[in-house]
Amino acid sequence: MDVEYNERVKGKKYRCRDCGESFEGVGKHPVCPSCQSDTVDAI
Ligand SMILES: [Zn+2]
């Protein structure tokens, strides 16, 4: 019952404003894996 340890990759969900791709980004400045844009929103 140790659900607190059910932590996966330490990434946040982001969505690219340019192409609409959603992805899991790591770090302070995640970059869209699809179009390499850094114009992303956290979702
Ligand atoms: Zn993109």
Side-chain angles (χ1 to χ4, degrees):
M1 298 292 265
D2 259 342
V3 261
E4 287 182 31
Y5 276 94
N6 196 11
E7 193 178 327
R8 295 172 56 195
V9 192
K10 200 175 181 184
K12 279 185 176 180
K13 281 275 202 173
Y14 293 93
R15 180 176 294 137
C16 176
R17 280 202 209 178
D18 289 337
C19 71
E21 174 90 1
S22 15
F23 61 97
E24 216 166 80
V26 187
K28 289 181 181 176
H29 301 289
V31 174
C32 174
S34 181
C35 70
Q36 270 72 52
S37 170
D38 59 355
T39 315
V40 298
D41 285 328
I43 56 174

